[in-house]
Amino acid sequence: MDRDKEKQEISLIGRLFSLEALLILMGIFCLVSGVTTGEATQVFWGVMIIGGAVVLHFVRKKDWKKHWEEQERLKALCEMREREKKEREHRDAENL
């Protein structure tokens, strides 16, 4: 039971100090700093950093193994259609 609790605490600490959390903190810092000083450049970079962190979160959440398996299946299907098309064209050319 203690090991499970220890693993849970480590994962919580890991999430707090993850790359995504640090990026969001940096984005918030830039955004707040830009608003308080009135510099549009810092506001721009704050918005860009926060947006990038959100996109990174969704990209990491995606199941990439499933995605690439689907891409391979679609590629094989397209190759099979191309072969069938070439065979049909070859047969049509022979029939003429």
Side-chain angles (χ1 to χ4, degrees), residues 27 30-36 38-48:
C30 286
L31 192 61
V32 170
S33 174
V35 169
T36 57
E39 292 187 33
T41 307
Q42 285 183 327
V43 172
F44 170 77
W45 286 115
V47 170
M48 294 304 292

Side-chain angles (χ1 to χ4, degrees), residues 4 9 15 20-21 26 35 39 48 56 81 83 96:
D4 292 335
E9 287 176 8
R15 277 188 262 153
E20 294 166 355
M26 185 63 191
V35 169
E39 292 187 33
M48 294 304 292
L56 178 64
R81 286 182 182 167
R83 268 184 278 144
L96 291 177

Side-chain angles (χ1 to χ4, degrees), residues 34-93:
V35 169
T36 57
T37 61
E39 292 187 33
T41 307
Q42 285 183 327
V43 172
F44 170 77
W45 286 115
V47 170
M48 294 304 292
I49 291 170
I50 291 171
V54 170
V55 169
L56 178 64
H57 170 74
F58 286 116
V59 166
R60 284 189 174 179
K61 192 175 181 180
K62 185 173 175 116
D63 185 5
W64 287 103
K65 183 178 179 185
K66 183 179 173 184
H67 170 76
W68 288 116
E69 288 173 353
E70 171 118 4
Q71 292 297 316
E72 290 295 324
R73 186 182 62 79
L74 290 173
K75 181 181 175 185
L77 184 62
C78 287
E79 289 174 352
M80 185 177 70
R81 286 182 182 167
E82 282 293 319
R83 268 184 278 144
E84 289 175 356
K85 183 180 175 183
K86 286 181 181 178
E87 287 174 3
R88 263 189 262 124
E89 288 175 357
H90 183 68
R91 279 184 285 180
D92 291 343

Side-chain angles (χ1 to χ4, degrees), residues 1-41:
M1 178 111 174
D2 290 332
R3 285 185 178 179
D4 292 335
K5 189 174 183 179
E6 187 176 317
K7 283 183 182 179
Q8 192 175 27
E9 287 176 8
I10 290 172
S11 67
L12 178 63
I13 292 170
R15 277 188 262 153
L16 287 175
F17 293 110
S18 71
L19 178 64
E20 294 166 355
L22 294 174
L23 281 172
I24 288 176
L25 287 174
M26 185 63 191
I28 291 171
F29 174 77
C30 286
L31 192 61
V32 170
S33 174
V35 169
T36 57
T37 61
E39 292 187 33
T41 307

